[in-house]
Amino acid sequence: GGGGRGGGWRGGGGWADPRAQARSEIAPVPSLLRELSHKAMLPAIVFIFSRAGCDAAAEQAAALRTPLVGGDEAGRIESIVADFKRANGALLDSLDVRRFELLQLGIASHHAGMLPLEKALAEQLFQANLLKVVFATETLAAGINMPARTTVVTTLSKRGDRGVEPLA
């Protein structure tokens, strides 16, 4: 079977769509996180080159049956998030409530579609070793100290001004 988006595996003829092949080579997020956790390779930054992809991966990670953070860590996250909400009360209506829920699980997205305050909160929690996985676009790499044990790059090409190109 070729799968849903068209252009899947053509049997003996190879892949009709190279993107379908690339998607098939990326481990599903829950499996990836289980393996990284089992091998004590968290915290991790997973680079996904789209905002929607980061948010979708964070949702997939939330489906993981094994908790990524312990009770003490969850309590510290809750306290930092509560302080953030108190300090930024006027902005809360414009923030994504689901992102706060994911933070409690030790999971965050980090991309240009988020307010700088949201990204700063994720960075603060990651630097405190409270987040176990951040799904980020390449904008994260711009001068931020995010001490990860593991970095995962999900693809070796990215869509740019001249179409899909290999990473430089």
Side-chain angles (χ1 to χ4, degrees), residues 70-140:
D72 289 346
E73 291 170 318
R76 288 181 57 209
I77 293 169
E78 188 174 351
S79 174
I80 291 169
V81 168
D83 289 346
F84 174 88
K85 286 179 176 181
R86 273 192 296 281
N88 299 288
L91 294 173
L92 288 182
D93 287 344
S94 61
L95 301 179
D96 186 341
V97 175
R98 179 64 178 149
R99 288 202 177 107
F100 290 119
E101 295 168 354
L102 292 170
L103 292 175
Q104 286 298 139
L105 301 173
I107 301 164
S109 290
H110 190 289
H111 55 70
M114 298 167 61
L115 291 175
L117 281 172
E118 289 177 293
K119 292 188 284 188
L121 177 60
E123 292 161 17
Q124 176 187 358
L125 291 169
F126 197 86
Q127 289 169 353
N129 199 29
L130 295 172
L131 293 184
K132 301 308 173 188
V133 63
V134 172
F135 297 98
T137 58
E138 71 277 14
T139 57
L140 175 70

Side-chain angles (χ1 to χ4, degrees), residues 7-120:
W9 181 250
R10 292 187 299 196
W15 292 92
D17 177 358
R19 291 174 300 177
Q21 179 181 3
R23 283 190 300 271
S24 74
E25 293 171 355
I26 300 169
V29 171
S31 298
L32 173 68
L33 292 181
R34 254 191 307 277
E35 194 65 26
L36 292 177
S37 179
H38 177 72
K39 293 183 176 184
M41 295 177 72
L42 295 176
I45 299 173
V46 179
F47 285 101
I48 298 174
F49 297 105
S50 79
R51 298 174 192 182
C54 289
D55 291 337
E59 288 296 338
Q60 291 174 31
L64 188 66
R65 299 192 195 289
T66 308
L68 295 175
V69 294
D72 289 346
E73 291 170 318
R76 288 181 57 209
I77 293 169
E78 188 174 351
S79 174
I80 291 169
V81 168
D83 289 346
F84 174 88
K85 286 179 176 181
R86 273 192 296 281
N88 299 288
L91 294 173
L92 288 182
D93 287 344
S94 61
L95 301 179
D96 186 341
V97 175
R98 179 64 178 149
R99 288 202 177 107
F100 290 119
E101 295 168 354
L102 292 170
L103 292 175
Q104 286 298 139
L105 301 173
I107 301 164
S109 290
H110 190 289
H111 55 70
M114 298 167 61
L115 291 175
L117 281 172
E118 289 177 293
K119 292 188 284 188

